[in-house]
Structures are given as C-alpha cells and as structure tokens.
Amino acid sequence: MDDSPRPERMMRDLDWNLLRSFVVLAQSRSITEAAHKLRLTQPSVSAALKRLEDRVGKRLIDRKPGHFQLTQAGEVLYREAMDIQGSILRLSTLMRDMTDEVTGHVRVALASHVVCPLFDAVLAEHHAGHPRATLDIDVLSSAEAVDSVSGRFSSFAICLVNRRDPKLEYRRLYREFFGLFCGPPHPLFGQRHLTRADLAGQSAVSFDTDRLQDALKPVAVMRAEADMGELVVGTSSHLEEVRRMIIAGLGIGPLPVHVAKRDVEDDLLWQLPPYDQPPAIDVHVVWNPKATLNRAEQSLLDRLLARIEATPMEERTYR
C-alpha cells in the first residue's frame, strides 16, 4: 500500500469525516472502542479506515489480535488531522468575536493538581476587565492537555511537561514540591520520627505519570529510594482521586506539599519521609503560536505571561 495520490487530488477527494473518524481511532485502543465513541458500528469504522488508507496510499494503523498501534504514516497523519480539526472547530468562535467589546470563549486545559494563586489572580482580573468573555476549564492529564493545545482545541494549557514539542511555546508558571502522604487508616499515620526505611515494602497509590520515563520522574525516583516496592494499588490522572485513595488508606501516595497542607492540618493526611529536599516539579503554560486566538483568549494569555514576567520565581515557588 504505497500508491500515494498527488496533493491536488488528495485535496479534492479527501473527506473530512474520514479524518475526524481517524482522530478518534488514533486516540482509542481498538476499532471497537472508537466505534463506541463515534456511535457507529464497528464495520462502519473499519470501512472508513480502509477508505482513508486507500485515499492516502499508506497503512495507517497496524492492527492484529492484541495489537493496535499507529504506523509511522499514521502518526504523521494524526498530527496533521489534529491541526486541521482544531482550525475547523475555531471558525465559529472567530466569527462570533466580531464586536467592539472584548468577548469570546476561552478554553483552558488544566492538569488536576494545578493550585496557583497567581493564576487565580489573573483569572479574576481578566473577568473584571472583560465580563462578557466566557471560560471553560477542562481538567486533563498533562499529556492530554498538551495534545489539546497542539490540536488547537484549547487556548492554552497549564500542566507538567515531559518532552517539548518544537511547534509549541512554553513558559514556567510555578514550581511545587511533592511529598509522600498516608491517610488515617494507614499504620504509619500519626507516627513521628519516621525514616525512609519505615516505608520499605509499603503499597502505593500515585499519578498515571509517576513513571521513570514520564513527567513525574522525580516522584518515581523518590518512591524508589524509599524502597516501597512495586505494588501500586491505584492510579489516577486527577489529584482529587489520588488524594481520595490516600485518605482511604489504600497506600502511600505523592501530593504537592502546598496542596496537601490543609488536609494535614485537618488530620486527613500525614506527611512521611523524606522531609528534606523533596522533589521539585515545574508547571508550565503551554500555547500554540500558530493558533489564531480570539481577543478574549489573547487577552488572558497575554495577561498571564505578563504577570509571570513581573513576578520573581521565588514568589512563584510553593512549598
């Protein structure tokens, strides 16, 4: 399958609905899952994929029992299709934003553990200055947040960054420090003068990105240095759910120290070693310089970047 069509023919013949279906396929683990998301039958989705592969002259998904993965050509098409889809979705927003008053809709992709007074202050100022501008905040995993910016679904993201995409822009918003915590049912809760040795062999709960090859690598290293073993009994991409599992006593888990502070004071969480030199994690603003932003989006992003520039890093470091 390598009979690639000429660009003019592809532009004329390619059906956008095929690309839309392919984006969903690329974000799924099987044709069955994609069919469920698209509310179509499995044969319909398979046929759509076959038509698209015929149009582009390349195999896009390597699929066989127990294996469903984008090919190299599929990866390239997925990135471009995300870009096209984002542009189409923004057309109606741009057409609505043709008034003298700053209006428009802002969609921010936010990692769940983002607790940042600076960002909250900027939101308040933006709303006071532009009360008719509207806002959506989507809580996503950091990887999903970056994808939403790359695909122009979101105005910008605030999240962890693992590998930088050269097509996107990044600015560090703040630094936070992670500690290990347990909940009231845990046998270590309330115990003082603990050392890392006391954590050896304990079960854990954590974030999906708490892996040596991912954005929370320093947290994974901290767990490994405590010799907690391999038993991770629960994971989530949302801080609230990691917190829930820790408080319920499922295991020891990581949380930003400044976020957990109130729960520690309320005896819902107990901080465990290491107490000194906890791992530092940087949270970034991520935006797509090629995206055409409406005035509300541009105003909020400009205001946030200006506030970052004017605020020393020590005032954006939360312990």
Side-chain angles (χ1 to χ4, degrees):
M1 182 179 292
D2 197 18
D3 185 20
S4 301
R6 296 179 61 183
E8 296 84 0
R9 179 185 170 191
M10 182 180 292
M11 182 175 65
R12 183 180 66 249
D13 294 344
L14 189 59
D15 181 355
W16 159 244
N17 286 320
L18 295 180
L19 285 181
R20 184 177 68 88
S21 297
F22 178 69
V23 167
V24 176
L25 273 163
Q27 295 171 342
S28 303
R29 292 168 294 184
S30 66
I31 288 181
T32 301
E33 181 180 323
H36 178 74
K37 291 178 181 178
L38 291 165
R39 298 182 181 180
L40 298 172
T41 65
Q42 184 175 337
S44 297
V45 176
S46 296
L49 176 58
K50 177 65 166 56
R51 288 199 303 274
L52 182 58
E53 289 180 330
D54 290 343
R55 290 285 195 280
V56 301
K58 300 283 185 181
R59 181 172 294 280
L60 300 173
I61 298 179
D62 183 15
R63 54 199 187 278
K64 51 193 172 187
H67 184 78
F68 188 83
Q69 186 174 2
L70 293 178
T71 63
Q72 185 174 1
E75 293 279 2
V76 171
L77 183 61
Y78 173 61
R79 289 195 297 269
E80 296 302 320
M82 286 281 287
D83 204 35
I84 294 168
Q85 181 168 282
S87 296
I88 292 173
L89 289 172
R90 298 180 62 78
L91 283 175
S92 62
T93 299
L94 292 172
M95 293 300 100
R96 288 199 311 266
D97 194 36
M98 303 300 293
T99 63
D100 292 335
E101 185 178 8
V102 174
T103 60
H105 191 66
V106 184
R107 184 180 296 275
V108 180
L110 208 68
S112 73
H113 61 79
V114 170
V115 177
C116 177
L118 184 150
F119 178 58
D120 296 346
V122 168
L123 282 181
E125 292 173 4
H126 175 76
H127 177 67
H130 311 301
R132 295 197 61 189
T134 56
L135 174 70
D136 264 350
I137 295 180
D138 295 325
V139 178
L140 305 170
S141 71
S142 290
E144 291 170 337
V146 172
D147 283 346
S148 74
V149 172
S150 180
R152 307 187 194 186
F153 297 107
S154 298
S155 315
F156 60 88
I158 298 178
C159 59
L160 304 180
V161 174
N162 185 22
R163 289 180 293 272
R164 296 196 176 208
D165 184 338
K167 294 182 180 179
L168 303 179
E169 295 287 341
Y170 301 81
R171 188 73 51 82
R172 181 168 61 178
L173 174 58
Y174 70 93
R175 173 169 288 179
E176 61 187 359
F177 293 85
F178 272 73
L180 293 174
F181 298 86
C182 67
H186 198 277
L188 296 181
F189 188 88
Q191 293 194 32
R192 302 183 185 276
H193 310 299
L194 296 170
T195 67
R196 282 182 175 176
D198 294 305
L199 277 58
Q202 297 286 342
S203 59
V205 298
S206 198
F207 293 90
D208 293 339
T209 48
D210 174 8
R211 296 186 293 265
L212 289 175
Q213 71 274 24
D214 221 323
L216 284 180
K217 176 181 176 180
V219 175
V221 171
M222 177 175 63
R223 286 198 301 107
E225 289 176 344
D227 196 24
M228 289 177 58
E230 299 297 325
L231 183 58
V232 178
V233 298
T235 61
S236 177
S237 60
H238 285 207
L239 179 144
E240 293 80 4
E241 302 312 319
V242 174
R243 171 184 174 272
R244 184 197 308 276
M245 290 186 285
I246 297 172
I247 291 175
L250 273 67
I252 293 170
L255 291 171
V257 174
H258 74 291
V259 176
K261 182 178 179 181
R262 180 172 295 181
D263 284 334
V264 171
E265 293 171 351
D266 292 342
D267 291 329
L268 291 174
L269 291 172
W270 186 261
Q271 188 168 0
L272 302 168
Y275 305 113
D276 299 324
Q277 298 182 329
I281 301 293
D282 289 334
V283 177
H284 293 77
V285 181
V286 184
W287 71 98
N288 189 336
K290 291 187 177 181
T292 302
L293 302 182
N294 64 44
R295 286 182 292 167
E297 292 173 309
Q298 194 66 60
S299 174
L300 179 57
L301 179 58
D302 288 347
R303 189 184 297 267
L304 179 57
L305 296 178
R307 179 64 70 87
I308 292 172
E309 188 69 25
T311 306
M313 189 61 216
E314 56 266 25
E315 295 181 26
R316 295 184 279 121
T317 300
Y318 307 128
R319 298 180 182 274

